[in-house]
Amino acid sequence: MGNLLPVERHHHIGVVVSDYRRYIEQFSRFFGIERWEVRRQDSSRMPDATLHGKPVKHSFISVLGARGKIAFELCQPVSGDSVYGEFLETHGEGMHHLFPTICSPAEFRQLRPWLESEGITVSQSATVTDTLEYYYLDSTSYLGTTYEVLCPLRPDWQSDPRLKPDEVITIDSKVAGAAGCPSEKIYHACVLTRNKRLSMRDNYQRLLGFEQWFDFDNQTGVSSQDTHYFGKSADTRFRLSLGRKNDFGIEIVEQIYGPTIYQDMLDKQGEGLNHIMTTLCGPEELGLITKRLEAEGMPIIQDGQGSDVYYCYADTREKLAGLYVELLCPLSERFMSDPAMHELMVGPDL
């Protein structure tokens, strides 16, 4: 495997919550998820759990929901010290980790000394019911967020009865079908930084093997027009780097000036995961979507228009535990007519 952390796709987005039942129906309504698997994890299932390299006894609830290539894990701390409790104290509810990597235990053991030499250690880990190992990498300073690595201990781990959920929650299809907007997959997740965009981009290349990037300086009146924040004209500037490895897309955003969802997050929480992009649609469809979102209490909070694309962010924070959702609307065939740009923006075909 060599000295690269293997990445495949967004297996799920990890979201820390204080009460998972508060959000399940809202996630189902927005993303069309109909089934959630609830697992209550504690020392009886994870006898070797560690936190920052030391043994720990803690318990938490993991709630997994998926539809196609849209998947989330809602993580609720229950007792003892954990990365989830730490995150709630420092950031509040919101996106906590990305999960792109499944590899064998031997492969990860081979990678760990190299990762540690790069300054990336394990923040939390455990063996779960002798079926799989999981590791959270303390990679925020280097990659903008925590990364999860899953190491199955047997080939049939997904059907192992010991991993059977404690509870299955199903949402009526009529409710789940009333999604706020059509969501095909997680095209990319955005990590926000104050001034480390270029060094972070280099880290993605060195540690994960990202080789192709699209860099853009989004500046009102220069490269972007009709920029708004909370419905009012706004003079803003932020720089972004969009990269992809396999079906795992990352956008690194560096706030420069002006009122944006980026500055708002930096002021209140600091750096970290800011939003996900799940919807690519045409102008007519976008108009219908934004009206429906506003009627459901999720108005467009920020938007702007480049020469070939319109972008906007729905204010889904209250409904979706602190995360924003981006919608992208190409305005010309040129925007993704270049095969390289199409592959970078969209990734492998659905």
Side-chain angles (χ1 to χ4, degrees):
M1 183 165 55
N3 284 347
L4 282 178
L5 188 68
V7 295
E8 302 160 354
R9 61 182 178 87
H10 290 280
H11 292 294
H12 67 237
I13 301 288
V15 183
V16 168
V17 298
S18 57
D19 181 1
Y20 72 90
R21 292 187 182 275
R22 175 184 172 190
Y23 293 108
I24 281 182
E25 185 171 315
Q26 297 296 342
F27 271 84
S28 292
R29 283 175 58 84
F30 198 93
F31 296 106
I33 298 171
E34 297 185 337
R35 175 185 168 90
W36 295 85
E37 297 183 350
V38 181
R39 294 176 175 85
R40 296 171 175 84
Q41 309 287 23
D42 56 28
S43 56
S44 67
R45 292 178 170 179
M46 306 179 301
D48 64 348
T50 70
L51 179 66
H52 305 304
K54 298 180 179 180
V56 66
K57 289 186 181 296
H58 58 205
S59 62
F60 59 87
I61 301 173
S62 166
V63 187
L64 289 168
R67 178 184 62 81
K69 291 190 175 182
I70 300 283
F72 295 92
E73 180 186 24
L74 306 184
C75 305
Q76 177 183 326
V78 176
S79 66
D81 295 329
S82 68
V83 292
Y84 314 124
E86 293 173 347
F87 190 83
L88 278 178
E89 288 183 6
T90 57
H91 293 79
E93 296 178 313
M95 289 189 289
H96 171 263
H97 65 268
L98 302 179
F99 170 34
T101 303
I102 299 176
C103 64
S104 72
E107 288 173 321
F108 189 63
R109 282 195 296 272
Q110 179 183 350
L111 282 175
R112 281 192 71 171
W114 166 71
L115 288 170
E116 290 173 0
S117 73
E118 293 284 348
I120 297 177
T121 57
V122 172
S123 57
Q124 183 169 298
S125 70
T127 303
V128 183
T129 63
D130 294 324
T131 304
L132 59 86
E133 300 170 354
Y134 83 85
Y135 301 88
Y136 286 143
L137 302 183
D138 189 2
S139 50
T140 301
S141 297
Y142 301 89
L143 302 174
T145 185
T146 297
Y147 271 72
E148 181 179 2
V149 176
L150 192 69
C151 299
L153 296 175
R154 49 179 51 84
D156 60 346
W157 64 279
Q158 290 178 303
S159 60
D160 192 307
R162 291 173 294 182
L163 291 182
K164 183 180 177 181
D166 300 306
E167 179 184 3
V168 173
I169 299 175
T170 57
I171 305 297
D172 185 274
S173 60
K174 293 180 181 179
V175 175
C181 65
S183 302
E184 296 86 12
K185 67 175 182 178
I186 299 169
Y187 289 103
H188 67 247
C190 170
V191 293
L192 173 63
T193 178
R194 285 190 173 90
N195 53 20
K196 297 185 293 187
R197 178 179 57 91
L198 294 180
S199 62
M200 196 171 289
R201 187 187 65 181
D202 292 342
N203 291 337
Y204 272 88
Q205 181 171 343
R206 187 179 75 258
L207 300 174
L208 279 72
F210 278 61
E211 295 182 353
Q212 185 180 5
W213 292 92
F214 169 69
D215 297 313
F216 186 67
D217 189 340
N218 191 314
Q219 183 177 5
T220 301
V222 178
S223 57
S224 188
Q225 311 298 324
D226 297 326
T227 51
H228 301 89
Y229 188 60
F230 278 100
K232 297 181 179 180
S233 295
D235 183 15
T236 63
R237 186 178 185 183
F238 55 91
R239 296 189 178 107
L240 65 87
S241 294
L242 179 66
R244 179 175 299 278
K245 178 73 177 294
N246 298 323
D247 205 9
F248 184 69
I250 287 292
E251 180 183 50
I252 306 169
V253 167
E254 181 180 23
Q255 167 76 6
I256 307 299
Y257 62 72
T260 63
I261 61 172
Y262 307 125
Q263 188 62 58
D264 184 60
M265 177 175 167
L266 289 173
D267 291 342
K268 295 179 180 179
Q269 298 171 303
E271 300 172 307
L273 287 167
N274 178 265
H275 70 264
I276 56 176
M277 200 280 273
T278 62
T279 302
L280 196 62
C281 61
E284 288 189 14
E285 187 178 14
L286 180 67
L288 296 174
I289 292 170
T290 55
K291 287 182 181 179
R292 188 160 61 243
L293 287 173
E294 185 168 4
E296 295 185 8
M298 296 174 282
I300 299 303
I301 191 174
Q302 178 180 322
D303 69 336
Q305 181 174 316
S307 58
D308 295 314
V309 66
Y310 169 81
Y311 65 90
C312 62
Y313 304 92
D315 191 1
T316 50
R317 290 173 294 175
E318 183 178 347
K319 308 284 187 180
L320 303 180
L323 68 88
Y324 295 102
V325 175
E326 180 183 9
L327 297 81
L328 205 62
C329 176
L331 301 176
S332 73
E333 294 183 1
R334 293 183 305 176
F335 181 65
M336 290 191 298
S337 60
D338 179 358
M341 176 58 74
H342 184 277
E343 181 180 353
L344 188 62
M345 293 294 299
V346 176
D349 292 336
L350 291 170

